[in-house]
Each structure stands twice: as C-alpha cells, then as structure tokens.
Amino acid sequence: MNTHPVRSAAMTAAVLIGCMLLGGCARLQPWVKPYEREKLADPIMQFSRDSLVEKHREHVRVVREGARGATGVQGGGCGCN
Amino acid sequence: MAATSPIELWRHSRRALGALLAPLAGLLAGHSARAVDLPEDRAEALVHVYQGGGVTASGPALLVRKNIADRVSLTGSYYLDAVSNASIDVVTTASPFRERRHEFGAGLDYAVRDSLITLGVSKSDEPDYKSDTASIDVSQETFGGMTTVALGFSRGADKVLKHGDPSFNDTVKRWQYRLGVTQILTPSWLASANFEAISEDGFLGSPYRAARVFGAAVPERNPRTRSSRALKLRVKGDLGARNAMHAEYRYFWDTWAVKAHTAEAGYSRYFGDLWLADAFVRYYSQKHALFYSDNAPAETLYVSRNRQLSTFDSLGLGAKLSYTWKRVPGQYELKANGAYELVRFNFKDFTDIRTGSPYSFQANVLQLYVSATF
C-alpha cells in the first residue's frame, strides 16, 4: 500500500464529518421563523431594489468588461460593437 | 390520420404538459400550501447618462409592472441608448459616429404554490445590430421559506450588420443557463450564490475594429464560439439602527482564457423616515484572452486588439440617494432617486497609440429616476 497516511486520515475525517452533517439533515428545521423576518423584508435588505436601474448598470459593465453573467440581473442581448 | 385542429393540438399539449409538470410541482411544493407573493406593482422612469473614454450614451427608460389577476403580473419596458462614439478605437481607426439603440421588453410572472415562473422576451434594435432574447425563470421557495432556489434559461439570436457594407451579414446564437440559491441565515443576514453558464456561437467581434500585427492594422479575427462560466457569492446583513451592508464576489472564466475577479462592498442607511442612502466600492480585474495582443509579433489564426479582452482593472465608487416623495399607506408610494458612479479603468497591455503609454480613462455613470409602487 502506498497511500499517504496524512491523506488517508484526511479522507477518514472527511467521511466522518460528512456523515455527521448528513445525520443532522434528518432533524434540520427552519431556524428563522416567518415572524422573525421583519428586518429581512425591509427594502434596505433587498439585493436589487430597482430593476431598470440595475439593468442599465449591468449593460454599462457588460459592454466594457470581459466578464458577464451570474449577476442576478436579467438582461437582453446588446449591440456591444 | 386527419389533420388536428389548433384547438385540439393545444388541448393535447396542455394535458401532456400538465401530466409532466403535476408530479414535479407536487414534489417542489413539499408540505407547504402557502402561495408565493407576486412582485409588487411598480413603475420606474429613468434618465441615464454614461460618459467616459470619448463615449456618451444617454437616454430615457421606462418600466411598468402590473398585477392583473391574483397569480399573474405583467411587465413592459422600454430603453433608449443614444450613443455618441469617439472612443480610442474609433478615433484611431475610423470616424466618430452617433447611433441609437432601442430595447423593448415584456414579461409575465405566474405564481403557483411556492413557485414563481417568469417568462420574458426582449428586442434590441440599432442600425447595425439586432438582438432578440427569450427567457424562462423558475424560482421556488423551500425549507419553510428560508431557501429560494432559482433556475433560468435564455435563448438569444443576434444579427450583426456593418454600416456602409450591405454584403456583411452575420449572426450570433446565445444560450444562457442560470442557477441561484438565496438563503436566510439569521433574522438579520441573507446569503446567495448564483451560477451562470453562457455559450455563444457566431460572429463574436466587431466588423469595424482593427488588430495590430507587426505594427500594421488588420481586421480582428475572433473564434466563432465562446463558453463562459461565472459564480457569484453575496451576503447582506442588517447591522441594526436601520443600517445594512453587503459584500459580494464573482469569479468568471471562459474558453478564451479570460479570467476575472469582481469584488464589491456597500453600506446602506436610512436618514429619518424619508431618506435612504447607499454607497459602494467595486473592484474589477481581468486577465487577457489567449489571442489578445496589443501588437502581435507573429501571424496567428485568431488575433484581437479589443481592449475588453485585454488585461485591465477598474475601480468604481458609487452612491445612491432615495427620497420618499409621497406615501399613502396601502395605496401608493412615490420616490425620487439619484445614483452616481465614478469608474477608473487602467489598461495594462493596451497602448494608446497616440501617446505610446498604457491607456486609462475615467467614466461617469449618472441615473436619475422616479419609482412608484401602487
């Protein structure tokens, strides 16, 4: 056997932690009740408050940067030439 | 077999679709019978200005969203970009120009149990570029409303034309796949993860832009396919006393070897009952595409001097102020808003051939708008 002892121990630890986490799933309950979500409902906590404005900002960036996507903002195609 | 009438075809399709979706909807709905809320009715009227690097793009934009029944919300939007272009690409290789881009959008949101289904179409039109996009998004609340899972797909088809050359006519096809999870962490903190894969096939450059090979200008040559992936993580927290903050990070990579990091942090705060202020800082950096060259030392199959594909970073500082103009509880709310962002772009391997130095510029983004919920 040429398995490295450190790697083997790490693997065993990962499996044990995985089992513990999965075991927890069985009794996992929503821990923030609906009546505790008052702060989260405030406009200040919205990721995106005004869709048109977000879309414009996103368009400005997509036209100038190489990266795109995963912004949570829906945009159409654009003439970026 | 006799030809089926459109009505019968619709009935058959509806039945088949219902049979397919019913178990899925049941599975997704879980034990909860609570309906998800439709987005609230709202209208936004915006005037936007971008000015930087010799380009000015401005215009109005409008959006109206109206709930027409208990379960359906309709959206219509219009967006105009009036562009006056004297960018470095244009002034060094062609003549400055002006053009207008019109974009129309329509959407429908449908709420069923704990799911929100959104269908959208958009059409963008400018003299040398037309674009049509259709999309479907489904978001599902689960785990007692603490977790929202969203899936989306868009399909786009563009037509690329060239001013002054009627023989030039090409296309781009686009596929976008989205997956997002938003999680309530505590009564004050939210987190989300978004992933998006985009694939494009067609003419993915500009018919006007030139590349440089041995110091000579040649038309740029881009691959006809590009696939990208982006993963974004966000957290938002209520800090108490009507203060909130957010932080986000996005990693992007694609088959052209562009790799980009985006980091943003922001702070929001109410002043009294009527004012809400936001401030943010955003840093973006990317590594150039495999075939990007400021001045190629050899002839290669693909070559581009598109600075959007170069190595650069940018730093943006932004602020936004919202003022509640009129508020009639239970009826409507009217807000006046202003947002401004100053962005500094620093290019590492894109030379300003007028000066011989690395190119950099500053841009201003201004948004003035009125938003109403009713």
Side-chain angles (χ1 to χ4, degrees):
Chain A
M1 282 278 288
N2 56 0
T3 312
H4 196 279
V6 175
R7 196 178 296 166
S8 172
M11 188 70 86
T12 311
V15 169
L16 282 174
I17 291 168
C19 287
M20 281 158 67
L21 289 174
L22 284 174
C25 288
R27 50 181 188 278
L28 202 60
Q29 293 292 322
W31 60 89
V32 181
K33 304 294 176 204
Y35 56 82
E36 295 176 305
R37 296 176 198 166
E38 191 187 341
K39 283 181 181 172
L40 302 175
D42 192 292
I44 204 171
M45 286 297 287
Q46 284 173 10
F47 280 120
S48 167
R49 280 206 292 275
D50 305 298
S51 59
L52 198 58
V53 175
E54 293 294 325
K55 195 172 157 181
H56 171 249
R57 204 176 283 279
E58 187 52 27
H59 177 74
V60 163
R61 289 168 181 165
V62 162
V63 170
R64 287 163 189 91
E65 298 173 348
R68 66 239 166 114
T71 53
V73 178
Q74 263 285 24
C78 65
C80 303
N81 56 356
Chain B
M1 206 177 133
T4 315
S5 76
I7 295 171
E8 281 174 41
L9 193 68
W10 162 242
R11 280 191 192 136
H12 283 300
S13 322
R14 209 174 55 173
R15 227 173 283 150
L17 199 66
L20 274 171
L21 292 181
L24 182 68
L27 187 73
L28 291 172
H31 306 292
S32 170
R34 189 173 57 84
V36 72
D37 291 331
L38 278 171
E40 61 186 342
D41 290 350
R42 64 182 293 126
E44 294 174 34
L46 162 74
V47 173
H48 57 87
V49 182
Y50 169 91
Q51 180 276 321
V55 175
T56 303
S58 60
L62 292 166
L63 177 140
V64 178
R65 173 184 281 286
K66 183 81 184 90
N67 190 330
I68 56 159
D70 268 355
R71 285 186 164 179
V72 178
S73 169
L74 296 179
T75 322
S77 66
Y78 170 71
Y79 182 103
L80 170 72
D81 248 340
V83 183
S84 145
N85 194 331
S87 71
I88 183 169
D89 293 333
V90 169
V91 295
T92 52
T93 60
S95 309
F97 64 88
R98 285 170 185 274
E99 67 179 14
R100 283 168 173 245
R101 183 176 78 89
H102 302 270
E103 187 182 321
F104 299 91
L108 182 150
D109 292 84
Y110 176 63
V112 53
R113 293 185 178 226
D114 284 350
S115 300
L116 187 68
I117 299 164
T118 305
L119 303 173
V121 288
S122 80
K123 188 171 190 62
S124 168
D125 191 278
E126 61 191 292
D128 54 2
Y129 206 102
K130 324 270 177 212
S131 180
D132 293 294
T133 306
S135 64
I136 177 166
D137 288 84
V138 180
S139 77
Q140 166 75 31
E141 277 191 9
T142 183
F143 194 46
M146 281 188 62
T147 310
T148 305
V149 181
L151 283 168
F153 170 67
S154 298
R155 178 76 166 81
D158 300 357
K159 193 176 270 188
V160 192
L161 305 166
K162 186 178 179 185
H163 184 72
D165 181 2
S167 65
F168 183 90
N169 187 343
D170 214 324
T171 58
V172 179
K173 290 176 193 160
R174 187 177 301 107
W175 296 260
Q176 295 174 244
Y177 303 87
R178 296 174 287 280
L179 171 66
V181 179
T182 304
Q183 177 68 46
I184 294 177
L185 300 174
T186 73
S188 304
W189 286 85
L190 288 171
S192 77
N194 285 77
F195 175 79
E196 187 163 20
I198 305 178
S199 291
E200 287 176 305
D201 179 356
F203 187 85
L204 302 177
S206 161
Y208 307 105
R209 201 165 29 226
R212 273 204 302 169
V213 180
F214 305 121
V218 298
E220 67 174 20
R221 298 186 295 273
N222 294 291
R224 286 187 69 85
T225 58
R226 183 184 186 190
S227 283
S228 69
R229 310 278 183 266
L231 176 68
K232 178 167 168 173
L233 305 171
R234 292 190 282 198
V235 286
K236 183 130 196 168
D238 184 303
L239 305 174
R242 312 186 82 207
N243 292 274
M245 62 82 65
H246 77 268
E248 57 189 63
Y249 169 75
R250 178 181 69 171
Y251 181 62
F252 169 92
W253 69 105
D254 72 5
T255 49
W256 289 3
V258 175
K259 291 184 171 62
H261 303 273
T262 313
E264 184 179 315
Y267 173 71
S268 308
R269 180 194 174 118
Y270 281 107
F271 289 93
D273 281 341
L274 303 179
W275 294 90
L276 172 57
D278 298 88
F280 68 86
V281 55
R282 178 181 187 268
Y283 178 72
Y284 174 86
S285 85
Q286 74 172 46
K287 190 181 142 296
H288 67 76
L290 201 60
F291 53 90
Y292 172 84
S293 181
D294 195 16
N295 184 11
E299 272 291 358
T300 46
L301 179 59
Y302 301 119
V303 63
S304 172
R305 196 173 174 267
N306 176 4
R307 64 175 188 282
Q308 204 181 338
L309 301 175
S310 71
T311 299
F312 72 90
D313 61 21
S314 74
L315 183 67
L317 289 172
K320 186 165 119 181
L321 203 56
S322 295
Y323 171 67
T324 305
W325 202 349
K326 270 201 165 169
R327 182 188 284 150
V328 180
Q331 289 188 36
Y332 70 92
E333 191 173 78
L334 197 60
K335 288 181 178 174
N337 312 268
Y340 171 74
E341 185 181 358
L342 175 68
V343 196
R344 171 88 188 169
F345 291 85
N346 292 306
F347 295 87
K348 313 290 180 200
D349 54 3
F350 181 85
T351 308
D352 183 341
I353 53 176
R354 298 167 300 186
T355 63
S357 312
Y359 184 57
S360 65
F361 72 96
Q362 224 156 268
N364 302 285
V365 186
L366 179 69
Q367 299 166 318
L368 297 173
Y369 61 105
V370 177
S371 54
T373 50
F374 48 90

PDB file of all heavy atoms in Angstrom, chain B residues 226-227 252-260 286-291 309:
ATOM      1  N   ARG B 226     -17.763  30.742 -27.987  1.00  0.00           N
ATOM      2  CA  ARG B 226     -17.243  31.161 -26.684  1.00  0.00           C
ATOM      3  C   ARG B 226     -18.179  30.616 -25.602  1.00  0.00           C
ATOM      4  O   ARG B 226     -19.399  30.742 -25.715  1.00  0.00           O
ATOM      5  CB  ARG B 226     -17.205  32.693 -26.596  1.00  0.00           C
ATOM      6  CG  ARG B 226     -16.605  33.221 -25.312  1.00  0.00           C
ATOM      7  CD  ARG B 226     -16.694  34.737 -25.260  1.00  0.00           C
ATOM      8  NE  ARG B 226     -15.998  35.260 -24.093  1.00  0.00           N
ATOM      9  CZ  ARG B 226     -16.077  36.514 -23.688  1.00  0.00           C
ATOM     10  NH1 ARG B 226     -16.825  37.391 -24.343  1.00  0.00           N
ATOM     11  NH2 ARG B 226     -15.417  36.930 -22.622  1.00  0.00           N
ATOM     12  N   SER B 227     -17.605  29.994 -24.594  1.00  0.00           N
ATOM     13  CA  SER B 227     -18.401  29.497 -23.465  1.00  0.00           C
ATOM     14  C   SER B 227     -17.828  30.076 -22.200  1.00  0.00           C
ATOM     15  O   SER B 227     -16.609  30.033 -21.999  1.00  0.00           O
ATOM     16  CB  SER B 227     -18.327  27.971 -23.365  1.00  0.00           C
ATOM     17  OG  SER B 227     -19.148  27.407 -24.341  1.00  0.00           O
ATOM     18  N   PHE B 252     -15.068  34.721 -12.759  1.00  0.00           N
ATOM     19  CA  PHE B 252     -15.502  34.464 -14.139  1.00  0.00           C
ATOM     20  C   PHE B 252     -14.368  33.783 -14.901  1.00  0.00           C
ATOM     21  O   PHE B 252     -13.212  34.167 -14.745  1.00  0.00           O
ATOM     22  CB  PHE B 252     -15.845  35.800 -14.806  1.00  0.00           C
ATOM     23  CG  PHE B 252     -16.054  35.698 -16.298  1.00  0.00           C
ATOM     24  CD1 PHE B 252     -17.318  35.479 -16.822  1.00  0.00           C
ATOM     25  CD2 PHE B 252     -14.976  35.802 -17.172  1.00  0.00           C
ATOM     26  CE1 PHE B 252     -17.502  35.364 -18.197  1.00  0.00           C
ATOM     27  CE2 PHE B 252     -15.156  35.686 -18.544  1.00  0.00           C
ATOM     28  CZ  PHE B 252     -16.429  35.465 -19.052  1.00  0.00           C
ATOM     29  N   TRP B 253     -14.711  32.815 -15.722  1.00  0.00           N
ATOM     30  CA  TRP B 253     -13.697  32.211 -16.592  1.00  0.00           C
ATOM     31  C   TRP B 253     -14.369  31.745 -17.881  1.00  0.00           C
ATOM     32  O   TRP B 253     -15.565  31.459 -17.891  1.00  0.00           O
ATOM     33  CB  TRP B 253     -12.968  31.080 -15.868  1.00  0.00           C
ATOM     34  CG  TRP B 253     -13.754  29.837 -15.570  1.00  0.00           C
ATOM     35  CD1 TRP B 253     -13.670  28.630 -16.203  1.00  0.00           C
ATOM     36  CD2 TRP B 253     -14.721  29.636 -14.516  1.00  0.00           C
ATOM     37  NE1 TRP B 253     -14.512  27.701 -15.618  1.00  0.00           N
ATOM     38  CE2 TRP B 253     -15.161  28.284 -14.599  1.00  0.00           C
ATOM     39  CE3 TRP B 253     -15.270  30.459 -13.529  1.00  0.00           C
ATOM     40  CZ2 TRP B 253     -16.115  27.748 -13.726  1.00  0.00           C
ATOM     41  CZ3 TRP B 253     -16.235  29.918 -12.661  1.00  0.00           C
ATOM     42  CH2 TRP B 253     -16.634  28.595 -12.766  1.00  0.00           C
ATOM     43  N   ASP B 254     -13.622  31.715 -18.969  1.00  0.00           N
ATOM     44  CA  ASP B 254     -14.223  31.298 -20.237  1.00  0.00           C
ATOM     45  C   ASP B 254     -13.223  30.552 -21.118  1.00  0.00           C
ATOM     46  O   ASP B 254     -12.047  30.407 -20.769  1.00  0.00           O
ATOM     47  CB  ASP B 254     -14.847  32.491 -20.969  1.00  0.00           C
ATOM     48  CG  ASP B 254     -13.819  33.442 -21.550  1.00  0.00           C
ATOM     49  OD1 ASP B 254     -12.618  33.150 -21.486  1.00  0.00           O
ATOM     50  OD2 ASP B 254     -14.230  34.503 -22.071  1.00  0.00           O
ATOM     51  N   THR B 255     -13.726  30.091 -22.262  1.00  0.00           N
ATOM     52  CA  THR B 255     -12.891  29.280 -23.161  1.00  0.00           C
ATOM     53  C   THR B 255     -11.914  30.143 -23.966  1.00  0.00           C
ATOM     54  O   THR B 255     -11.116  29.609 -24.725  1.00  0.00           O
ATOM     55  CB  THR B 255     -13.768  28.466 -24.133  1.00  0.00           C
ATOM     56  OG1 THR B 255     -14.729  29.355 -24.718  1.00  0.00           O
ATOM     57  CG2 THR B 255     -14.500  27.344 -23.435  1.00  0.00           C
ATOM     58  N   TRP B 256     -11.969  31.450 -23.825  1.00  0.00           N
ATOM     59  CA  TRP B 256     -10.981  32.328 -24.456  1.00  0.00           C
ATOM     60  C   TRP B 256      -9.859  32.660 -23.466  1.00  0.00           C
ATOM     61  O   TRP B 256      -9.040  33.541 -23.717  1.00  0.00           O
ATOM     62  CB  TRP B 256     -11.640  33.637 -24.930  1.00  0.00           C
ATOM     63  CG  TRP B 256     -12.540  33.461 -26.110  1.00  0.00           C
ATOM     64  CD1 TRP B 256     -12.865  32.293 -26.753  1.00  0.00           C
ATOM     65  CD2 TRP B 256     -13.246  34.497 -26.799  1.00  0.00           C
ATOM     66  NE1 TRP B 256     -13.728  32.534 -27.785  1.00  0.00           N
ATOM     67  CE2 TRP B 256     -13.984  33.885 -27.847  1.00  0.00           C
ATOM     68  CE3 TRP B 256     -13.342  35.872 -26.645  1.00  0.00           C
ATOM     69  CZ2 TRP B 256     -14.790  34.602 -28.731  1.00  0.00           C
ATOM     70  CZ3 TRP B 256     -14.139  36.591 -27.526  1.00  0.00           C
ATOM     71  CH2 TRP B 256     -14.853  35.961 -28.550  1.00  0.00           C
ATOM     72  N   ALA B 257      -9.883  32.005 -22.306  1.00  0.00           N
ATOM     73  CA  ALA B 257      -8.870  32.151 -21.255  1.00  0.00           C
ATOM     74  C   ALA B 257      -8.955  33.489 -20.522  1.00  0.00           C
ATOM     75  O   ALA B 257      -8.005  33.881 -19.858  1.00  0.00           O
ATOM     76  CB  ALA B 257      -7.456  31.928 -21.785  1.00  0.00           C
ATOM     77  N   VAL B 258     -10.100  34.175 -20.653  1.00  0.00           N
ATOM     78  CA  VAL B 258     -10.303  35.380 -19.839  1.00  0.00           C
ATOM     79  C   VAL B 258     -10.670  34.906 -18.428  1.00  0.00           C
ATOM     80  O   VAL B 258     -11.506  34.015 -18.267  1.00  0.00           O
ATOM     81  CB  VAL B 258     -11.447  36.264 -20.405  1.00  0.00           C
ATOM     82  CG1 VAL B 258     -11.724  37.448 -19.489  1.00  0.00           C
ATOM     83  CG2 VAL B 258     -11.103  36.748 -21.799  1.00  0.00           C
ATOM     84  N   LYS B 259     -10.010  35.461 -17.445  1.00  0.00           N
ATOM     85  CA  LYS B 259     -10.348  35.159 -16.045  1.00  0.00           C
ATOM     86  C   LYS B 259     -10.557  36.496 -15.342  1.00  0.00           C
ATOM     87  O   LYS B 259      -9.742  37.401 -15.501  1.00  0.00           O
ATOM     88  CB  LYS B 259      -9.218  34.397 -15.358  1.00  0.00           C
ATOM     89  CG  LYS B 259      -9.043  32.977 -15.875  1.00  0.00           C
ATOM     90  CD  LYS B 259      -7.974  32.247 -15.090  1.00  0.00           C
ATOM     91  CE  LYS B 259      -7.930  30.777 -15.420  1.00  0.00           C
ATOM     92  NZ  LYS B 259      -7.601  30.489 -16.813  1.00  0.00           N
ATOM     93  N   ALA B 260     -11.641  36.610 -14.590  1.00  0.00           N
ATOM     94  CA  ALA B 260     -11.923  37.906 -13.973  1.00  0.00           C
ATOM     95  C   ALA B 260     -12.419  37.747 -12.538  1.00  0.00           C
ATOM     96  O   ALA B 260     -13.131  36.790 -12.217  1.00  0.00           O
ATOM     97  CB  ALA B 260     -12.961  38.661 -14.795  1.00  0.00           C
ATOM     98  N   GLN B 286      -9.227  41.699 -14.671  1.00  0.00           N
ATOM     99  CA  GLN B 286      -9.277  40.549 -15.584  1.00  0.00           C
ATOM    100  C   GLN B 286      -7.934  40.336 -16.265  1.00  0.00           C
ATOM    101  O   GLN B 286      -7.124  41.253 -16.388  1.00  0.00           O
ATOM    102  CB  GLN B 286     -10.378  40.727 -16.630  1.00  0.00           C
ATOM    103  CG  GLN B 286     -10.070  41.730 -17.731  1.00  0.00           C
ATOM    104  CD  GLN B 286     -11.124  41.700 -18.833  1.00  0.00           C
ATOM    105  OE1 GLN B 286     -12.320  41.694 -18.560  1.00  0.00           O
ATOM    106  NE2 GLN B 286     -10.691  41.688 -20.085  1.00  0.00           N
ATOM    107  N   LYS B 287      -7.765  39.077 -16.696  1.00  0.00           N
ATOM    108  CA  LYS B 287      -6.553  38.679 -17.424  1.00  0.00           C
ATOM    109  C   LYS B 287      -6.965  38.501 -18.884  1.00  0.00           C
ATOM    110  O   LYS B 287      -8.060  38.033 -19.168  1.00  0.00           O
ATOM    111  CB  LYS B 287      -6.058  37.357 -16.832  1.00  0.00           C
ATOM    112  CG  LYS B 287      -4.697  36.915 -17.279  1.00  0.00           C
ATOM    113  CD  LYS B 287      -4.386  35.584 -16.629  1.00  0.00           C
ATOM    114  CE  LYS B 287      -3.638  34.647 -17.529  1.00  0.00           C
ATOM    115  NZ  LYS B 287      -4.299  34.182 -18.734  1.00  0.00           N
ATOM    116  N   HIS B 288      -6.077  38.876 -19.789  1.00  0.00           N
ATOM    117  CA  HIS B 288      -6.444  38.945 -21.200  1.00  0.00           C
ATOM    118  C   HIS B 288      -6.768  37.592 -21.853  1.00  0.00           C
ATOM    119  O   HIS B 288      -6.345  36.541 -21.380  1.00  0.00           O
ATOM    120  CB  HIS B 288      -5.346  39.659 -21.997  1.00  0.00           C
ATOM    121  CG  HIS B 288      -4.051  38.905 -22.065  1.00  0.00           C
ATOM    122  ND1 HIS B 288      -3.867  37.819 -22.871  1.00  0.00           N
ATOM    123  CD2 HIS B 288      -2.884  39.098 -21.415  1.00  0.00           C
ATOM    124  CE1 HIS B 288      -2.642  37.376 -22.736  1.00  0.00           C
ATOM    125  NE2 HIS B 288      -2.013  38.126 -21.850  1.00  0.00           N
ATOM    126  N   ALA B 289      -7.497  37.679 -22.951  1.00  0.00           N
ATOM    127  CA  ALA B 289      -7.832  36.482 -23.732  1.00  0.00           C
ATOM    128  C   ALA B 289      -6.558  35.956 -24.402  1.00  0.00           C
ATOM    129  O   ALA B 289      -5.615  36.707 -24.670  1.00  0.00           O
ATOM    130  CB  ALA B 289      -8.876  36.834 -24.786  1.00  0.00           C
ATOM    131  N   LEU B 290      -6.593  34.663 -24.699  1.00  0.00           N
ATOM    132  CA  LEU B 290      -5.431  33.964 -25.264  1.00  0.00           C
ATOM    133  C   LEU B 290      -4.931  34.625 -26.544  1.00  0.00           C
ATOM    134  O   LEU B 290      -3.732  34.692 -26.799  1.00  0.00           O
ATOM    135  CB  LEU B 290      -5.889  32.532 -25.558  1.00  0.00           C
ATOM    136  CG  LEU B 290      -4.856  31.440 -25.686  1.00  0.00           C
ATOM    137  CD1 LEU B 290      -4.060  31.328 -24.394  1.00  0.00           C
ATOM    138  CD2 LEU B 290      -5.549  30.115 -26.001  1.00  0.00           C
ATOM    139  N   PHE B 291      -5.836  35.127 -27.360  1.00  0.00           N
ATOM    140  CA  PHE B 291      -5.460  35.655 -28.670  1.00  0.00           C
ATOM    141  C   PHE B 291      -5.436  37.185 -28.689  1.00  0.00           C
ATOM    142  O   PHE B 291      -5.380  37.784 -29.748  1.00  0.00           O
ATOM    143  CB  PHE B 291      -6.426  35.118 -29.749  1.00  0.00           C
ATOM    144  CG  PHE B 291      -7.868  35.355 -29.415  1.00  0.00           C
ATOM    145  CD1 PHE B 291      -8.509  36.515 -29.826  1.00  0.00           C
ATOM    146  CD2 PHE B 291      -8.585  34.430 -28.668  1.00  0.00           C
ATOM    147  CE1 PHE B 291      -9.819  36.754 -29.492  1.00  0.00           C
ATOM    148  CE2 PHE B 291      -9.908  34.661 -28.337  1.00  0.00           C
ATOM    149  CZ  PHE B 291     -10.530  35.829 -28.747  1.00  0.00           C
ATOM    150  N   LEU B 309     -10.986  42.619 -24.029  1.00  0.00           N
ATOM    151  CA  LEU B 309     -10.363  41.309 -23.821  1.00  0.00           C
ATOM    152  C   LEU B 309      -8.927  41.445 -23.330  1.00  0.00           C
ATOM    153  O   LEU B 309      -8.185  40.474 -23.283  1.00  0.00           O
ATOM    154  CB  LEU B 309     -10.383  40.502 -25.131  1.00  0.00           C
ATOM    155  CG  LEU B 309     -11.764  40.235 -25.729  1.00  0.00           C
ATOM    156  CD1 LEU B 309     -11.629  39.533 -27.075  1.00  0.00           C
ATOM    157  CD2 LEU B 309     -12.602  39.381 -24.779  1.00  0.00           C
TER     158      LEU B 309
END
